[in-house]
Amino acid sequence: MADELDDVTDDETAESSEAVIAVHWREEETYPPPASFTAQANASDPAIREQFTEDKFPDSFTAYADLLTWFKPWDTVLDTSNAPFWRWFVGGELNASYNCVDRHLATHPNKAALIWVPEPENEAHQAITYRELYVRVNEFAAVLKELGLKAGDRITFHMPMVPELPVAMLAAARLGIIHSQVFAGFSGTAAGHRIADSGSTVLVTMDGYYRSGDLLDHKVKADEAVEAAAKEGQQVDKVLVFRRYPGKYSAATPMVEGRDVFVDDLLAAHKGEIVEPVALQATDPLFLMYTSGTTGRPKGCQHSIGGYLAYVAGTSKYYQDIHPDDTYWCMADIGWITGHSYIVYGPLALGTTSVLYEGTPNYPDAARPWRIAKQLGVNIFHTSPTAIRMLRKVGPDEPAKYDFHFKHMTTVGEPIEPEVWRWYYNSIGKREAAIVDTWWQTETGGFLGSTLPGIDAMKPGSCGPAALGILPTILDENGDEVAAGSGKAGNIVIRNPWPGVFQTIWGQPERFVSTYYAKYNKDPKSTDWHDWPYFAGDGAVQAADGYFRILGRVDDVINVAGHRLGTKELESAALTVNEIAEAAAVPVVDDVRGRVVEMYVSLKPGFDASPEVEAKVRTAIETDIGKIARPKNIWIVPDMPKTRSGKIMRRVIAATSNFTDTGDITTLANPEVVERIRHQVQSAKVARGEVPRELSETELHEIEHFGSE
Ligand code: WTA
């Protein structure tokens, strides 16, 4: 077995230095947008780019703001006086709920705003018209008001994919209450940390929801969340519980007297009540969206009302190509930024019909999405590479069997392999659809890199050029520009502010500056935006044609199925287990989920490795974060490879788990441990049949740089 392992390693050695990789990026062929798509596209004339050139910045973005209804126009488009805390459309007043609901009543009150598809196929879908949405948003706003919540307060939602979630978001937005929706798949403890960080006194949840055929008890997580928040000093006064079946409680967990209330009971007292939308400053916060970073504390990305809503409306129009008559389905979860921007705020601001699906895409079988698409006449479809890979794996021939036709499709959240892209294009898109590969982040509010679907050629594996008005470039570690077409990778930055960019990290303004702006800023006092490139934390390479290929994170973040997990969060969870002395989390390439997590732990003296310790680590991670973070393997190792200053070299263990070259280890304090770990881990993996295929350039790049920031 040892010989077999040595072969694997030797093969890789010659290929692995940055210099060699740099010249190896293979250029993919391009695909023109379908003529039928261009003929109807919102952006079909390349001259649109001229309206967004650098010399027209920042006024160019008023084209996006003009898509909204303002109670009071802005005085200043962009205020840079407190750089890099950019303020967009200063002096303007508006309301997001008004823009997504009320203003559509005049033109199409009876059109479906949302169509909700429950997971059980025998439950009928529910179409909620703009008129009904208006009623429901107002009634829930009345409930929030009765609880004493007002503009500037924070409220946490831990809600599944049900229409009550957008209703609750829009009700909060109506009053200026800052919402923070936590992905339902996160554990109660994870929700509790976010409740505490945001200072919420009210939690809104649901008794249960369907996932892969099971009606899950979700209410139990609310109890855990309240307890976790209390440990951090944050008291939750009220837990509002929506019922999956109104009038019938679907959870086994008891309601807590005085604290927990059924929302349907509360709503009964506010039937038909109207709550006027509050005129809010464009620069007031709309919501917080927590994401992982390089420390254990999640970052509450704070998004503004005016800039954010303008940006998601504009990009929904030009990049999602949403027209009022479209039926648009984004299969993401509203618990992530994609759902906020491109299920709720963008599509509803444009007055379209947005489909919401409760369950997993492959339940009860791999053709479920295609039956939904056919039944509802979906013509715009939006999903992630992980979902595409999974649907391709379990049902490659299913799309052809159903009579649905997409004019437009999106992929988002992770790099997509060209081969997977081609299946998306040929089999799901039936060669009729324009595809956009949209690169962006929780922090950025909306798309940063994408083709304009009616204009630009598509190139599998590349997100495309910069989005309108966005000025990206690639910088090396010294801040020098890496030329397009040079074949060299570097850090992608955005040179200018844009309306969708987050305003700050809630409660951590220094971290906001140090994480995103300090790296390439030379003058911290400057109020000139040119001095503050936004550091995205992604590696990228730009081809001669200007298209960007995103290579993945350059920090300690692992992208599992499009979900960002911080290594520190995973490691802190493992360290709560008494036996564990040290822990390190690394990504392993996975054919469906993109990356999965592997944990390396070492034990305190006096403890021995055992399946029980492994199980404890697994449970700790599920409890602290959620099942999405569950590690594929937990390796109990004698010691971690470390630098002389004691830093764990995650790059070296990531290489071990992925069977790639560990690179230079001569500078380690304990180079001998590398070989021991490699033997332990790789022989176990060989025995389990977990030897990975040869990695692509993109994957190799990420593994070799993992944690090197
Ligand atoms: C990655 C999701 C390649 C990237 C909207 C980024 C992508 C992180 C793409 C943000 C794409 C997102 N191609 N990589 N089209 N889109 N990423 O905050 O590493 O959940 O930094 O936002 O996902 O993930 P987040």
Side-chain angles (χ1 to χ4, degrees):
M1 187 176 298
D3 287 342
E4 197 179 335
L5 293 178
D6 288 339
D7 282 352
V8 172
T9 316
D10 286 343
D11 277 356
E12 307 263 342
T13 323
E15 291 287 310
S16 58
S17 75
E18 170 87 59
V20 176
I21 295 169
V23 296
H24 267 196
W25 306 108
R26 200 186 121 201
E27 273 303 295
E28 297 290 333
E29 61 179 317
T30 57
Y31 295 67
S36 55
F37 179 84
T38 304
Q40 59 81 62
N42 282 330
S44 56
D45 181 353
I48 190 170
R49 287 203 194 287
E50 284 155 31
Q51 299 165 34
F52 286 90
T53 48
E54 185 163 355
D55 55 313
K56 305 208 175 70
F57 177 84
D59 292 355
S60 45
F61 280 117
T62 59
Y64 285 2
D66 287 338
L67 296 171
L68 307 177
T69 304
W70 294 77
F71 296 148
K72 179 174 172 283
W74 57 88
D75 311 310
T76 309
V77 175
L78 172 63
D79 168 14
T80 64
S81 61
N82 187 23
F85 298 88
W86 316 121
R87 300 173 77 230
W88 281 88
F89 308 119
V90 183
E93 288 178 9
L94 78 169
N95 184 286
S97 181
Y98 179 88
N99 273 281
C100 292
V101 188
D102 306 36
R103 68 173 178 150
H104 304 308
L105 297 185
T107 43
H108 45 261
N110 296 322
K111 178 169 135 178
L114 301 168
I115 301 179
W116 178 57
V117 182
E119 191 189 73
E121 232 168 339
N122 59 359
E123 284 184 24
H125 65 259
Q126 288 176 21
I128 298 165
T129 64
Y130 274 96
R131 173 99 222 147
E132 281 177 83
L133 182 62
Y134 174 76
V135 171
R136 289 174 68 168
V137 166
N138 274 284
E139 288 176 354
F140 193 63
V143 167
L144 298 180
K145 211 170 159 181
E146 187 193 348
L147 292 174
L149 292 168
K150 54 179 191 321
D153 292 345
R154 278 81 56 209
I155 187 166
T156 298
F157 304 150
H158 195 202
M159 293 284 290
M161 281 292 283
V162 290
E164 287 79 359
L165 172 54
V167 165
M169 290 161 70
L170 294 163
R174 203 165 183 82
L175 296 167
I177 302 163
I178 306 168
H179 61 74
S180 164
Q181 153 69 5
V182 178
F183 171 57
F186 273 143
S187 67
T189 308
H193 292 317
R194 287 156 179 77
I195 290 171
D197 192 85
S198 64
S200 301
T201 54
V202 175
L203 169 65
V204 182
T205 188
M206 189 166 236
D207 56 352
Y209 65 101
Y210 280 97
R211 204 71 199 159
S212 300
D214 298 321
L215 180 56
L216 305 180
D217 180 345
H218 187 61
K219 162 63 170 62
V220 63
K221 290 188 176 178
D223 299 345
E224 292 159 7
V226 171
E227 194 188 320
K231 279 199 194 128
E232 293 181 40
Q234 179 63 41
Q235 172 158 335
V236 174
D237 303 325
K238 280 276 172 272
V239 178
L240 308 189
V241 184
F242 278 106
R243 285 190 270 200
R244 175 65 175 70
Y245 298 98
K248 176 178 158 220
Y249 189 45
S250 298
T253 317
M255 296 286 278
V256 174
E257 186 73 38
R259 186 197 73 184
D260 301 353
V261 204
F262 290 127
V263 179
D264 41 324
D265 289 346
L266 292 178
L267 284 171
H270 297 283
K271 274 243 153 308
E273 209 166 299
I274 298 299
V275 177
E276 287 308 321
V278 179
L280 297 155
Q281 295 294 319
T283 51
D284 284 341
L286 178 59
F287 66 85
L288 306 179
M289 170 60 68
Y290 280 88
T291 192
S292 299
T294 51
T295 75
R297 182 173 170 196
K299 303 181 276 195
C301 296
Q302 177 185 316
H303 283 283
S304 70
I305 303 173
Y308 171 83
L309 198 64
Y311 197 68
V312 297
T315 49
S316 292
K317 177 165 180 184
Y318 295 119
Y319 289 93
Q320 296 297 287
D321 198 55
I322 289 177
H323 293 62
D325 296 335
D326 289 324
T327 299
Y328 167 89
W329 182 19
C330 172
M331 217 161 63
D333 194 290
I334 298 177
W336 308 109
I337 192 68
T338 302
H340 275 50
S341 301
Y342 299 112
I343 296 178
V344 181
Y345 286 112
L348 297 185
L350 296 181
T352 197
T353 300
S354 185
V355 176
L356 243 68
Y357 173 53
E358 177 179 35
T360 42
N362 58 337
Y363 185 84
D365 56 65
R368 186 69 194 279
W370 322 132
R371 288 196 292 276
I372 294 173
K374 175 172 180 260
Q375 191 187 9
L376 303 181
V378 172
N379 66 339
I380 307 183
F381 182 68
H382 187 150
T383 192
S384 65
T386 289
I388 302 168
R389 287 188 290 255
M390 195 257 289
L391 292 166
R392 174 175 180 237
K393 189 172 168 194
V394 294
D397 304 323
E398 293 306 309
K401 298 180 192 159
Y402 294 85
D403 183 21
F404 65 88
H405 297 273
F406 298 146
K407 69 166 184 177
H408 179 290
M409 306 194 301
T410 301
T411 163
V412 62
E414 316 150 65
I416 186 165
E417 299 74 11
E419 180 199 335
V420 176
W421 188 98
R422 282 189 281 271
W423 182 76
Y424 195 33
Y425 179 76
N426 290 319
S427 297
I428 300 186
K430 308 181 179 183
R431 300 181 202 203
E432 303 163 336
I435 297 184
V436 290
D437 178 347
T438 57
W439 168 69
W440 59 298
Q441 311 177 301
T442 303
E443 294 86 340
T444 73
F447 307 145
L448 295 179
S450 169
T451 49
L452 270 167
I455 298 174
D456 302 322
M458 308 170 245
K459 185 154 76 170
S462 297
C463 66
L468 294 170
I470 302 292
L471 306 169
T473 192
I474 296 182
L475 300 180
D476 66 15
E477 285 304 313
N478 303 321
D480 293 325
E481 271 190 38
V482 177
S486 66
K488 292 215 176 67
N491 297 317
I492 187 162
V493 302
I494 310 298
R495 292 195 288 113
N496 62 323
W498 65 98
V501 70
F502 71 140
Q503 300 178 291
T504 187
I505 301 175
W506 180 263
Q508 305 178 72
E510 306 80 19
R511 189 176 176 197
F512 171 74
V513 179
S514 65
T515 308
Y516 299 97
Y517 293 99
K519 188 169 174 87
Y520 292 119
N521 170 264
K522 297 197 185 77
D523 174 11
K525 294 213 165 57
S526 172
T527 57
D528 179 350
W529 62 260
H530 295 85
D531 292 326
W532 296 95
Y534 168 82
F535 175 72
D538 277 328
V541 63
Q542 189 179 24
D545 60 11
Y547 279 36
F548 292 94
R549 186 200 297 216
I550 305 299
L551 305 174
R553 305 292 311 178
V554 296
D555 55 13
D556 291 349
V557 171
I558 306 178
N559 190 333
V560 178
H563 308 322
R564 279 162 63 175
L565 299 174
T567 50
K568 280 282 182 327
E569 281 168 79
L570 290 153
E571 291 159 8
S572 322
L575 290 170
T576 61
V577 175
N578 181 38
E579 290 88 338
I580 306 300
E582 285 184 309
V586 294
V588 177
V589 171
D590 181 87
D591 280 336
V592 172
R593 290 150 67 80
R595 304 287 181 274
V596 289
V597 173
E598 286 199 0
M599 290 298 300
Y600 284 67
V601 294
S602 65
L603 303 182
K604 290 178 188 159
F607 291 108
D608 291 323
S610 69
E612 289 72 36
V613 175
E614 245 183 83
K616 280 190 195 172
V617 172
R618 192 163 272 124
T619 308
I621 289 172
E622 280 180 27
T623 312
D624 266 18
I625 306 173
K627 287 210 170 69
I628 49 166
R630 178 192 275 175
K632 175 168 178 143
N633 286 306
I634 295 164
W635 305 111
I636 303 177
V637 293
D639 196 5
M640 302 279 181
K642 284 184 203 131
T643 60
R644 298 218 169 93
S645 59
K647 184 175 179 254
I648 298 177
M649 292 297 284
R650 293 197 186 81
R651 174 173 66 69
V652 173
I653 44 185
T656 303
S657 276
N658 288 282
F659 288 73
T660 61
D661 181 45
T662 45
D664 182 12
I665 54 165
T666 53
T667 57
L668 293 190
N670 52 356
E672 68 294 341
V673 80
V674 176
E675 189 48 36
R676 277 178 73 187
I677 294 179
R678 190 173 73 87
H679 196 269
Q680 174 191 347
V681 169
Q682 295 187 348
S683 43
K685 285 187 150 231
V686 168
R688 293 177 199 179
E690 290 181 12
V691 180
R693 54 167 169 72
E694 197 185 332
L695 302 195
S696 71
E697 307 131 324
T698 314
E699 291 161 346
L700 256 183
H701 186 273
E702 180 178 299
I703 300 304
E704 290 186 341
H705 291 82
F706 190 71
S708 53
E709 237 294 292

